[in-house]
Amino acid sequence: MNRQAKCKTPRRPPPKKPPNSQRDPVGVYLRVRPLIAEDEECCIEVISSTTVQLHAPEGFKVNRNGEYKETQYSFKKVFGVSVSQMELFEHVARPLVVDLIHGKNGLLFTYGVTGSGKTFTMTGSPGQGGLLPRSLDMIFNSIGPFQAKRYVFKTDEKNGVEVQCEVDALLERQRRENNLTVLKTPRQKIDPEIGDMLKPEEGCKADGVDEDSSYSVFVSYIEIYNNYIYDLLEETQEDAIKPKWNGGGTPVRQNTEFIPPQSKILREDQNHNMYVAGCMEVEVKSAEEAFQVFWRGQKRRKVANTRLNRESSRSHSVFIIKLAQAPLDADGDNILQDKNQVSVSQLCLVDLAGSERTGRTGAEGTRIREAGNINQSLLNLRTCLEILRENQICGTNKMVPYRDSKVSHLFKNYFDGEGKVRMVVCVNPKADDYEETLLVMRFAEMTQEVEVARPVDRPICGFTPGRRHRNQAFKEEMSHRLEDRGGPIDKDGISVLNGVVLSLPPLPSSELTDPNDELTLPRLIEALQNRQRIRQMMIEEYNRAASRMKCMLQELDSNLLSKENLIHEQNGRLAEKDKVIQSNKNEIERLEKKSKMQEHKIDILQKTAKIYEDDKRSLQQELETRGQRLQRELSEKRRMEQRMHGMVSDTQHKWEKECDRRVHAMQLEMQNKLWVKDEKLKQLKAIVTESKTPGRPDPPPRQPQRPSREERPSREERPSREERPSREERASREERASREERPPTKRSASPSPLPTTTPVRPLHRRSRSAGGEKWVDHKPSSCLDLGTVLQPVIPNAIQVSTPSEKALSKCDRYVLTHQEVASDGEIQTKLIKGEVIKTRGGGQAVQFTDIETLKQELTTVPCRKRKSSEGAAASGDQTDGAWTDVETRCSVALEMKAGSNMGPGFEHHVITKRRKP
């Protein structure tokens, strides 16, 4: 047994609309408001009838570091400051009114920042009526003679219109008048604020109005405030006796409390068109009455005073003009009682609230909330148009977020193809509104690229055209004939019969006064016989006329048949012509579509080229800026090099003086030391000689005397830097002195033990005069800069912090900078030098040959105490591991294979040279 599937409510199928591939872009017009002060700065320039150019104001240039561009925008039509309201209406609203009379919908809205003249463009002022009063005037001038009586057309509260007979309309009119007897007031005068909106000579009329239809106009006025819909025509009268009821069905506490109007909701009718449910629709019969209704709702609209506008609109207002029309019957007398034949078209005139910035308007509290809702609704409208444009250009099928805002949701049908859409962009050319105007221009430029499907024409009812005119002509002819015969001019059939009766001879008097009267009856019989004879003659004449009419009808039938055959033949030819015309139309549409596509591609390429030109210009400016910056940096570098060369020369001269001073001090110290050693040797020699000659008294001890200042060599007598002995010569002298001071020791008979370390292969020192040596200067990153005057300078060297195989393969000498703390607490630097030797394994080996020590000492008074090194030298207990800068040489070798990551700091094999006896 199969389980029955759960039933779901079937979706209502969308209405079947005839396919229409023709599309029209949204018509965008621009209107420039004149400046209040003539000396005020203007940022908009009208170049042509379709193009404007924006100039950035002076303050805007300063804020943008002088980088600004003059931008041009194109529209369908640009209206300058001198354009009148009449000229604006002729170009913008007149085509929409003509479409409304022909059964097509239309949407016209004004857009712009606050204070740009949107309300003036839509409403106008006395003597300068705006788009709305001129549209009403044109509608009633066109359909005035063809309007139906009041209440013949009746709204059904579901966005539709019903037709009722004249009797029901009369009863409905009487019922409403009886219900409104209490509220009925005497006719008021026209409000002076709206008086004389239009001049009589400015009235206009539409062409091609269907005279075989009856018309009726309904108007409604709503506003969208904080994303809620309110009816501005709704009556909210107070009753002091009856309690009031709010929207929730509960009475209020006070009888005198005012109940605000309830917000309305949007609904969808059977044709998927959006409408405001429960909105009051007023039937009007003249332009003055319609504008009075509009002005009554305009006074209830939300306005407020801001810093930028004295009467700033705080809501979006929508004035809806609904035109109902139905064809007349075949006789051209009454309206056809068929709801399917009723055509309803509407024109929406929208005054959008201006976008604003709360920082400029000074809004606070409620005004901030109102401004936020206004900006949000306008932003959602822009988002919907952008997605529509993307779907049309790119062929995507993204969902358009109409429901995010009441404004976009209400006009959803227009953007889906239910009528023409036109927008009037109002701008204020003053410099303070430049940034807001720039955003409005970009939105308007984008809106022009949105296309709306062209509305289709309503079907023809099928009756013979000209019915009303023929019916009126027949009635006029009958009235003329009756008038010629002396009968009353009546339009009814009874008057015709009375005229026929009166054309017969009159009857004689039939009053009998005497029973023997023999004259009255014979006269009456004779009169009746005459009437009978006349009747018979009229019947015969009627029969002859009927036979003639029959013959004429037969002849007309034969002629009609022949004409029908001719018409059929002509229809066949017309059908063939229609096919040819249709094929030509299809070809024209294809070519138009192709040309439109090519124009679109050309526009895209022009925009792309413009973007590339702008990028090229900006890159050239950037290149020039960077070139200038580079020139400045080069000149600054040259000045810095000159300054550094001067500083280096000054520092070098200062340190040369300091070195001379230190060398002089060191020479004095060494002379003192040599003098002390000489004194010691003399004393030792005296002791030795006295020990060989016994019995000789000891001479008194001789006090050592330092050489006086006069005995010291003067600065001129000192050897110059070139004549000073080198480090090797000083080392050899000190070695000879120590060898002379050392007493002779006894040599043992046993041979001295051989050293256990690996003997070092004697190397041939390369001649220094060759000048082709390359050094690897290995200086670890942990070395400190002591700031000494004497610094090791190695020419033709590669400085590395960690030696590598690549560096060693390019050089033949190696030096390692090593720092350690000496015994006196000072940091001394040792330069361990070696030679790079290639090995059989393809690597490099470093054999260390000697060490140079750099040490820095403080200038102190020389100590008289004998150093331990001197005592050790005197005693003869000289160790082989003592490290000095003269007596010791070392040889350290390191071998590294090819491709190895090991450096010279990983393995050190130290071989101490054997000390000479």
Side-chain angles (χ1 to χ4, degrees):
M1 183 177 180
N2 295 332
R3 185 178 179 182
Q4 187 177 2
K6 186 177 179 180
C7 297
K8 294 183 179 180
T9 303
R11 294 186 62 184
R12 182 170 55 184
K16 294 183 179 180
K17 299 181 180 179
N20 188 12
S21 60
Q22 297 181 352
R23 289 180 172 271
D24 295 325
V26 176
V28 181
Y29 301 84
L30 179 70
R31 187 177 193 185
V32 183
R33 173 182 175 174
L35 292 173
I36 299 176
E38 295 181 357
D39 56 347
E40 193 173 0
E41 184 181 2
C42 180
C43 62
I44 297 178
E45 179 186 358
V46 179
I47 298 179
S48 64
S49 61
T50 59
T51 308
V52 294
Q53 184 170 352
L54 265 68
H55 304 277
E58 293 296 332
F60 192 80
K61 299 176 190 176
V62 174
N63 295 336
R64 298 298 185 275
N65 297 325
E67 298 178 1
Y68 70 97
K69 297 179 181 178
E70 296 179 350
T71 313
Q72 293 185 1
Y73 296 94
S74 298
F75 299 90
K76 192 171 183 179
K77 183 74 175 177
V78 175
F79 302 97
V81 295
S82 60
V83 174
S84 62
Q85 297 276 62
M86 185 64 188
E87 185 178 354
L88 178 68
F89 171 77
E90 287 291 333
H91 286 86
V92 178
R94 182 185 176 92
L96 296 180
V97 176
V98 174
D99 289 345
L100 175 71
I101 296 174
H102 289 85
K104 299 177 183 179
N105 298 331
L107 171 64
L108 173 62
F109 61 94
T110 57
Y111 182 83
V113 299
T114 180
S116 58
K118 300 182 298 299
T119 305
F120 176 77
T121 300
M122 184 61 69
T123 307
S125 61
Q128 296 180 354
L131 301 177
L132 190 145
R134 293 181 186 275
S135 300
L136 292 173
D137 182 69
M138 181 177 177
I139 290 171
F140 286 101
N141 289 341
S142 303
I143 67 170
F146 315 118
Q147 290 192 75
K149 295 182 179 180
R150 200 180 293 267
Y151 303 121
V152 172
F153 290 93
K154 181 182 177 182
T155 58
D156 59 356
E157 304 297 334
K158 294 181 180 179
N159 203 29
V161 176
E162 297 177 348
V163 181
Q164 53 187 1
C165 62
E166 293 187 1
V167 177
D168 294 337
L170 180 61
L171 294 177
E172 179 76 15
R173 185 161 57 250
Q174 293 177 355
R175 182 178 61 81
R176 294 201 179 189
E177 289 178 356
N178 293 333
N179 292 336
L180 297 176
T181 53
V182 180
L183 302 177
K184 193 172 182 180
T185 58
R187 184 177 180 86
Q188 298 179 356
K189 296 182 180 180
I190 299 177
D191 195 334
E193 294 185 6
I194 61 174
D196 298 332
M197 271 287 186
L198 301 178
K199 298 178 182 179
E201 61 272 10
E202 292 181 352
C204 55
K205 183 179 178 180
D207 299 330
V209 180
D210 187 7
E211 299 179 357
D212 296 325
S213 299
S214 291
Y215 301 87
S216 185
V217 179
F218 298 86
V219 296
S220 58
Y221 197 19
I222 62 173
E223 71 170 351
I224 302 175
Y225 176 71
N226 288 337
N227 209 24
Y228 290 97
I229 301 176
Y230 297 100
D231 188 1
L232 295 177
L233 302 181
E234 185 178 9
E235 297 291 343
T236 57
Q237 299 198 3
E238 301 179 3
D239 194 343
I241 300 176
K242 296 181 181 180
K244 291 181 172 57
W245 298 78
N246 57 17
T250 58
V252 296
R253 296 182 180 180
Q254 299 178 2
N255 293 334
T256 59
E257 185 178 355
F258 173 73
I259 301 178
Q262 296 296 319
S263 62
K264 307 297 180 180
I265 60 176
L266 290 176
R267 292 190 183 277
E268 194 174 24
D269 62 4
Q270 61 181 359
N271 296 325
H272 294 270
N273 296 325
M274 305 306 300
Y275 70 98
V276 180
C279 179
M280 185 176 181
E281 295 179 343
V282 182
E283 185 178 6
V284 291
K285 294 301 178 183
S286 65
E288 292 77 11
E289 183 184 358
F291 199 70
Q292 282 280 13
V293 173
F294 164 76
W295 196 253
R296 186 178 66 192
Q298 183 72 5
K299 291 182 178 180
R300 299 178 182 176
R301 189 181 175 189
K302 305 293 188 304
V303 294
N305 184 13
T306 62
R307 190 183 301 172
L308 299 180
N309 194 355
R310 184 170 58 86
E311 293 183 357
S312 176
S313 302
R314 314 309 297 171
S315 63
H316 309 296
S317 65
V318 183
F319 187 75
I320 304 174
I321 304 173
K322 184 179 292 185
L323 179 64
Q325 52 183 321
L328 299 177
D329 55 6
D331 296 333
D333 244 347
N334 300 318
I335 300 175
L336 190 65
Q337 300 292 319
D338 187 1
K339 186 178 180 180
N340 296 327
Q341 294 294 334
V342 179
S343 174
V344 180
S345 57
Q346 64 181 14
L347 173 62
C348 293
L349 303 176
V350 186
D351 183 11
L352 295 177
S355 59
E356 60 184 35
R357 293 186 179 181
T358 56
R360 294 187 59 206
T361 59
E364 295 180 356
T366 307
R367 299 292 170 262
I368 293 181
R369 180 188 176 192
E370 294 171 352
N373 288 318
I374 291 171
N375 295 337
Q376 182 63 33
S377 61
L378 296 177
L379 177 62
N380 185 74
L381 177 62
R382 179 172 184 171
T383 303
C384 294
L385 293 177
E386 287 178 349
I387 296 178
L388 276 174
R389 170 176 166 270
E390 183 180 355
N391 290 341
Q392 293 171 3
I393 294 178
C394 303
T396 57
N397 193 17
K398 292 184 179 180
M399 186 185 69
V400 184
Y402 290 117
R403 294 179 179 268
D404 291 350
S405 174
K406 291 292 194 307
V407 176
S408 57
H409 195 194
L410 179 60
F411 305 129
K412 167 180 176 294
N413 312 104
Y414 292 96
F415 296 111
D416 288 344
E418 288 294 334
K420 289 185 179 180
V421 181
R422 294 196 172 185
M423 179 175 68
V424 180
V425 178
C426 300
V427 294
N428 195 339
K430 65 179 182 179
D432 295 339
D433 293 345
Y434 175 75
E435 295 189 29
E436 290 86 348
T437 303
L438 197 61
L439 297 177
V440 170
M441 291 291 187
R442 292 174 181 172
F443 171 68
E445 187 179 27
M446 183 271 301
T447 306
Q448 293 183 104
E449 300 179 2
V450 178
E451 295 182 349
V452 179
R454 185 178 300 176
V456 296
D457 297 330
R458 62 187 179 91
I460 303 175
C461 60
F463 292 108
T464 306
R467 301 183 300 278
R468 184 193 295 268
H469 180 69
R470 285 198 300 270
N471 188 22
Q472 291 178 357
F474 175 75
K475 291 180 180 180
E476 291 177 358
E477 183 67 22
M478 289 296 295
S479 63
H480 286 310
R481 288 185 179 183
L482 291 175
E483 186 179 1
D484 294 340
R485 293 186 180 185
I489 301 175
D490 195 355
K491 297 180 182 180
D492 297 331
I494 300 175
S495 61
V496 177
L497 295 177
N498 292 334
V500 175
V501 173
L502 291 175
S503 65
L504 295 175
L507 294 175
S509 177
S510 60
E511 184 180 359
L512 296 175
T513 58
D514 188 2
N516 297 320
D517 188 3
E518 295 181 357
L519 298 177
T520 303
L521 290 177
R523 284 198 300 267
L524 181 60
I525 291 172
E526 184 180 2
L528 291 175
Q529 287 178 355
N530 290 333
R531 285 199 170 209
Q532 181 65 23
R533 188 177 61 256
I534 293 173
R535 178 176 177 273
Q536 191 67 29
M537 291 173 61
M538 291 179 64
I539 289 175
E540 291 177 359
E541 186 178 358
Y542 173 75
N543 290 332
R544 286 194 298 269
S547 61
R548 286 196 303 269
M549 181 62 68
K550 188 176 181 181
C551 294
M552 291 175 63
L553 288 176
Q554 289 177 356
E555 185 180 357
L556 290 175
D557 287 339
S558 61
N559 294 334
L560 180 63
L561 185 60
S562 62
K563 289 183 178 180
E564 285 181 354
N565 294 332
L566 180 62
I567 290 172
H568 183 70
E569 184 180 355
Q570 296 295 332
N571 287 335
R573 295 180 181 178
L574 288 176
E576 294 178 358
K577 298 293 183 181
D578 289 339
K579 291 181 181 179
V580 175
I581 292 172
Q582 187 65 31
S583 62
N584 292 335
K585 284 183 178 180
N586 295 333
E587 183 68 18
I588 291 172
E589 290 179 359
R590 186 183 66 82
L591 294 176
E592 286 179 353
K593 187 175 181 181
K594 186 176 180 180
S595 65
K596 193 172 184 180
M597 187 180 299
Q598 296 296 333
E599 289 176 357
H600 180 67
K601 291 182 179 179
I602 291 172
D603 293 339
I604 293 176
L605 292 176
Q606 287 179 353
K607 291 181 180 178
T608 306
K610 186 177 180 181
I611 292 173
Y612 286 159
E613 289 177 358
D614 295 341
D615 293 343
K616 179 181 177 181
R617 194 179 300 109
S618 62
L619 290 175
Q620 287 179 352
Q621 293 178 357
E622 185 178 358
L623 183 61
E624 292 176 358
T625 305
R626 291 192 177 182
Q628 294 175 0
R629 189 184 306 167
L630 183 60
Q631 293 294 333
R632 290 196 298 269
E633 290 179 356
L634 289 175
S635 61
E636 186 68 23
K637 184 178 179 181
R638 295 192 195 98
R639 289 196 297 269
M640 185 63 69
E641 288 179 354
Q642 294 176 1
R643 191 183 306 168
M644 293 303 297
H645 283 314
M647 294 175 62
V648 167
S649 61
D650 295 342
T651 307
Q652 184 177 2
H653 183 65
K654 182 176 68 175
W655 280 108
E656 285 180 356
K657 291 183 179 179
E658 183 67 19
C659 289
D660 292 340
R661 186 185 62 80
R662 291 188 181 183
V663 168
H664 180 62
M666 185 64 70
Q667 287 179 356
L668 291 179
E669 185 178 358
M670 295 301 296
Q671 288 179 2
N672 292 334
K673 287 183 180 181
L674 291 175
W675 179 77
V676 171
K677 287 183 179 181
D678 292 340
E679 292 297 328
K680 288 180 180 180
L681 288 174
K682 291 179 181 180
Q683 293 178 5
L684 183 61
K685 185 176 180 180
I687 293 172
V688 172
T689 53
E690 288 177 359
S691 61
K692 292 181 179 181
T693 56
R696 188 176 179 177
D698 297 333
R702 182 181 178 184
Q703 295 296 332
Q705 294 181 359
R706 296 181 62 182
S708 62
R709 188 176 300 270
E710 291 76 6
E711 298 177 359
R712 299 176 186 174
S714 62
R715 187 180 301 269
E716 291 76 6
E717 298 176 357
R718 295 173 194 163
S720 62
R721 185 175 298 180
E722 292 78 4
E723 298 175 358
R724 293 174 187 171
S726 64
R727 184 178 298 177
E728 290 79 2
E729 295 176 358
R730 291 199 302 268
S732 59
R733 291 178 184 176
E734 292 177 359
E735 187 176 357
R736 286 195 300 269
S738 61
R739 194 178 296 139
E740 292 174 358
E741 294 174 1
R742 190 180 304 148
T745 56
K746 297 180 179 181
R747 294 190 178 183
S748 59
S750 62
S752 60
L754 295 174
T756 58
T757 58
T758 305
V760 179
R761 178 175 61 86
L763 298 176
H764 175 70
R765 183 178 298 272
R766 186 177 181 182
S767 176
R768 294 184 180 179
S769 60
E773 296 181 348
K774 288 188 178 180
W775 290 76
V776 177
D777 188 2
H778 177 197
K779 184 177 293 184
S781 59
S782 59
C783 292
L784 302 176
D785 186 9
L786 302 180
T788 58
V789 176
L790 300 179
Q791 292 288 343
V793 178
I794 304 176
N796 200 10
I798 301 176
Q799 295 183 359
V800 294
S801 59
T802 301
S804 61
E805 181 184 0
K806 183 177 180 181
L808 291 173
S809 62
K810 296 180 180 180
C811 303
D812 50 3
R813 301 298 299 272
Y814 174 85
V815 60
L816 172 64
T817 304
H818 173 68
Q819 290 183 346
E820 63 182 7
V821 181
S823 59
D824 55 355
E826 295 293 334
I827 298 177
Q828 62 181 3
T829 304
K830 293 184 178 182
L831 302 178
I832 305 175
K833 299 185 292 183
E835 296 182 357
V836 179
I837 304 173
K838 293 184 180 180
T839 60
R840 293 182 179 180
Q844 287 80 23
V846 178
Q847 181 177 356
F848 293 102
T849 56
D850 58 351
I851 297 175
E852 293 185 7
T853 303
L854 303 178
K855 185 177 179 182
Q856 185 177 8
E857 294 181 356
L858 298 176
T859 56
T860 56
V861 179
C863 182
R864 299 296 182 180
K865 186 177 180 180
R866 180 177 297 177
K867 295 183 180 179
S868 60
S869 61
E870 296 176 358
S875 60
D877 298 329
Q878 186 71 17
T879 61
D880 293 339
W883 287 79
T884 62
D885 57 349
V886 177
E887 301 174 356
T888 307
R889 296 290 185 269
C890 71
S891 177
V892 181
L894 182 143
E895 182 175 356
M896 184 167 57
K897 296 181 179 180
S900 174
N901 294 328
M902 296 179 60
F906 288 94
E907 291 187 14
H908 290 274
H909 304 281
V910 182
I911 300 175
T912 307
K913 287 187 177 182
R914 188 173 182 181
R915 192 180 303 277
K916 295 181 181 181

Coordinates of all heavy atoms in Angstrom, one line a residue, residues 408-440:
S408 N 11.1 50.4 -3.6 CA 11.4 49.4 -4.7 C 10.4 48.4 -4.8 O 10.1 47.9 -5.9 CB 12.8 48.8 -4.5 OG 12.9 48.1 -3.2
H409 N 9.7 47.9 -3.7 CA 8.7 46.9 -3.8 C 7.5 47.4 -4.5 O 6.8 46.7 -5.2 CB 8.4 46.4 -2.4 CG 7.6 45.1 -2.4 ND1 7.0 44.6 -1.3 CD2 7.4 44.2 -3.4 CE1 6.4 43.4 -1.6 NE2 6.7 43.2 -2.9
L410 N 7.1 48.7 -4.2 CA 5.9 49.2 -4.8 C 6.0 49.4 -6.3 O 5.1 49.2 -7.1 CB 5.6 50.6 -4.2 CG 4.4 51.4 -4.7 CD1 3.1 50.6 -4.5 CD2 4.3 52.7 -4.0
F411 N 7.2 49.7 -6.8 CA 7.4 50.0 -8.3 C 8.1 48.8 -8.9 O 8.7 48.9 -10.0 CB 8.3 51.2 -8.5 CG 7.7 52.4 -7.8 CD1 8.5 53.2 -7.0 CD2 6.4 52.8 -8.0 CE1 7.9 54.3 -6.4 CE2 5.8 53.9 -7.4 CZ 6.6 54.7 -6.5
K412 N 7.9 47.6 -8.4 CA 8.5 46.4 -9.0 C 8.0 46.2 -10.4 O 8.8 45.8 -11.3 CB 8.2 45.2 -8.0 CG 8.5 43.9 -8.6 CD 8.2 42.8 -7.6 CE 8.3 41.4 -8.2 NZ 7.4 41.2 -9.3
N413 N 6.7 46.4 -10.6 CA 6.1 46.0 -11.9 C 6.7 46.9 -13.0 O 6.8 46.5 -14.2 CB 4.6 46.2 -11.9 CG 4.0 45.5 -10.6 OD1 3.6 46.1 -9.7 ND2 4.0 44.2 -10.7
Y414 N 7.0 48.2 -12.7 CA 7.5 49.1 -13.8 C 8.8 48.6 -14.3 O 9.1 48.7 -15.5 CB 7.5 50.5 -13.2 CG 6.2 51.1 -12.9 CD1 5.6 51.0 -11.6 CD2 5.4 51.7 -13.9 CE1 4.4 51.6 -11.4 CE2 4.2 52.2 -13.7 CZ 3.7 52.2 -12.4 OH 2.4 52.7 -12.2
F415 N 9.7 48.1 -13.3 CA 11.0 47.7 -13.8 C 11.0 46.3 -14.4 O 11.9 45.9 -15.1 CB 12.0 47.7 -12.6 CG 12.2 49.0 -12.0 CD1 11.8 49.3 -10.7 CD2 12.9 50.0 -12.7 CE1 12.0 50.6 -10.2 CE2 13.2 51.2 -12.2 CZ 12.7 51.5 -10.9
D416 N 9.9 45.6 -14.2 CA 9.7 44.3 -14.9 C 9.0 44.4 -16.2 O 8.8 43.4 -16.9 CB 8.9 43.3 -14.0 CG 9.7 42.9 -12.8 OD1 10.9 43.1 -12.8 OD2 9.1 42.4 -11.8
G417 N 8.6 45.6 -16.7 CA 8.0 45.8 -18.0 C 6.6 46.1 -18.0 O 5.9 45.7 -19.0
E418 N 6.1 46.9 -17.0 CA 4.6 47.3 -17.0 C 4.4 48.7 -17.4 O 3.4 49.3 -17.2 CB 4.0 47.1 -15.6 CG 3.8 45.6 -15.3 CD 2.8 44.9 -16.2 OE1 1.9 45.6 -16.7 OE2 2.9 43.7 -16.3
G419 N 5.4 49.4 -18.0 CA 5.3 50.8 -18.4 C 6.6 51.5 -18.5 O 7.7 50.9 -18.2
K420 N 6.6 52.7 -19.0 CA 7.8 53.5 -19.1 C 8.2 54.0 -17.8 O 7.4 54.3 -16.9 CB 7.5 54.7 -20.1 CG 7.4 54.2 -21.6 CD 7.3 55.5 -22.5 CE 7.1 55.1 -23.9 NZ 7.0 56.2 -24.8
V421 N 9.5 54.2 -17.6 CA 10.1 54.8 -16.4 C 11.0 55.9 -16.8 O 11.9 55.8 -17.7 CB 11.0 53.7 -15.7 CG1 11.6 54.3 -14.4 CG2 10.1 52.5 -15.4
R422 N 10.8 57.1 -16.2 CA 11.6 58.2 -16.4 C 12.0 58.9 -15.1 O 11.2 58.8 -14.1 CB 10.8 59.3 -17.3 CG 10.6 58.7 -18.7 CD 10.2 59.8 -19.6 NE 10.1 59.3 -21.0 CZ 9.9 60.1 -22.1 NH1 9.7 61.4 -21.9 NH2 9.8 59.6 -23.3
M423 N 13.2 59.5 -15.1 CA 13.7 60.0 -13.8 C 14.3 61.4 -14.2 O 14.9 61.6 -15.2 CB 14.8 59.2 -13.3 CG 15.5 59.7 -12.0 SD 16.7 58.6 -11.3 CE 18.0 58.6 -12.5
V424 N 13.9 62.4 -13.3 CA 14.4 63.7 -13.4 C 15.4 63.9 -12.2 O 15.0 63.9 -11.1 CB 13.3 64.8 -13.3 CG1 13.9 66.2 -13.4 CG2 12.3 64.6 -14.4
V425 N 16.7 64.1 -12.6 CA 17.7 64.3 -11.6 C 17.9 65.8 -11.4 O 18.2 66.5 -12.3 CB 19.1 63.7 -12.1 CG1 20.1 63.9 -11.0 CG2 18.9 62.2 -12.3
C426 N 17.7 66.2 -10.1 CA 17.8 67.6 -9.8 C 19.1 67.8 -9.0 O 19.4 67.1 -8.1 CB 16.6 68.1 -8.9 SG 15.0 67.9 -9.7
V427 N 19.9 68.8 -9.4 CA 21.2 69.1 -8.8 C 21.3 70.5 -8.4 O 20.7 71.4 -9.1 CB 22.4 68.7 -9.7 CG1 22.4 67.2 -9.9 CG2 22.3 69.4 -11.0
N428 N 22.1 70.8 -7.4 CA 22.4 72.1 -7.0 C 23.8 72.4 -7.3 O 24.7 71.7 -6.8 CB 22.1 72.3 -5.5 CG 22.1 73.7 -5.0 OD1 22.6 74.6 -5.7 ND2 21.5 74.0 -3.9
P429 N 24.1 73.4 -8.1 CA 25.5 73.6 -8.6 C 26.5 74.2 -7.6 O 27.6 74.5 -7.9 CB 25.4 74.5 -9.8 CG 24.1 75.3 -9.5 CD 23.2 74.4 -8.8
K430 N 26.0 74.5 -6.3 CA 26.9 75.2 -5.4 C 28.0 74.2 -4.9 O 27.9 73.0 -5.0 CB 26.1 75.7 -4.2 CG 25.5 74.6 -3.3 CD 24.7 75.3 -2.2 CE 24.1 74.2 -1.2 NZ 23.4 74.8 -0.1
A431 N 29.1 74.8 -4.5 CA 30.3 74.0 -4.2 C 30.1 73.1 -3.0 O 30.8 72.1 -2.9 CB 31.5 74.9 -4.0
D432 N 29.3 73.5 -2.0 CA 29.1 72.7 -0.8 C 28.5 71.3 -1.1 O 28.7 70.4 -0.4 CB 28.2 73.4 0.2 CG 28.9 74.7 0.7 OD1 30.1 74.8 0.5 OD2 28.2 75.6 1.1
D433 N 27.7 71.2 -2.2 CA 27.0 69.9 -2.5 C 27.8 69.1 -3.5 O 27.2 68.3 -4.2 CB 25.6 70.2 -3.0 CG 24.7 70.8 -1.9 OD1 25.1 70.7 -0.8 OD2 23.6 71.3 -2.3
Y434 N 29.1 69.4 -3.7 CA 29.8 68.8 -4.8 C 29.9 67.3 -4.6 O 29.7 66.5 -5.6 CB 31.2 69.4 -4.9 CG 32.1 68.7 -6.0 CD1 31.9 68.9 -7.3 CD2 33.1 67.8 -5.6 CE1 32.7 68.3 -8.3 CE2 33.9 67.2 -6.5 CZ 33.7 67.4 -7.8 OH 34.5 66.8 -8.8
E435 N 30.3 66.8 -3.4 CA 30.5 65.4 -3.2 C 29.2 64.6 -3.4 O 29.1 63.6 -4.0 CB 31.1 65.1 -1.9 CG 32.5 65.7 -1.7 CD 33.2 65.2 -0.4 OE1 32.9 64.1 0.0 OE2 34.0 66.0 0.1
E436 N 28.1 65.2 -2.8 CA 26.8 64.5 -3.0 C 26.3 64.5 -4.4 O 25.8 63.5 -4.9 CB 25.7 65.2 -2.1 CG 25.9 65.0 -0.6 CD 26.9 66.0 0.0 OE1 27.6 66.7 -0.8 OE2 27.0 66.1 1.3
T437 N 26.6 65.6 -5.1 CA 26.2 65.7 -6.5 C 27.0 64.7 -7.4 O 26.5 64.1 -8.3 CB 26.5 67.1 -7.0 OG1 25.7 68.1 -6.2 CG2 26.0 67.3 -8.5
L438 N 28.2 64.4 -7.0 CA 29.1 63.5 -7.7 C 28.4 62.1 -7.6 O 28.4 61.3 -8.6 CB 30.5 63.5 -7.2 CG 31.6 62.8 -8.0 CD1 31.7 63.5 -9.4 CD2 32.9 62.8 -7.3
L439 N 28.0 61.7 -6.4 CA 27.3 60.4 -6.2 C 26.0 60.3 -7.0 O 25.7 59.3 -7.6 CB 27.1 60.2 -4.7 CG 28.4 60.1 -3.8 CD1 28.0 59.9 -2.4 CD2 29.3 58.9 -4.3
V440 N 25.3 61.4 -7.0 CA 24.0 61.4 -7.8 C 24.3 61.2 -9.2 O 23.5 60.5 -9.9 CB 23.2 62.7 -7.5 CG1 22.1 62.9 -8.4 CG2 22.8 62.8 -6.0

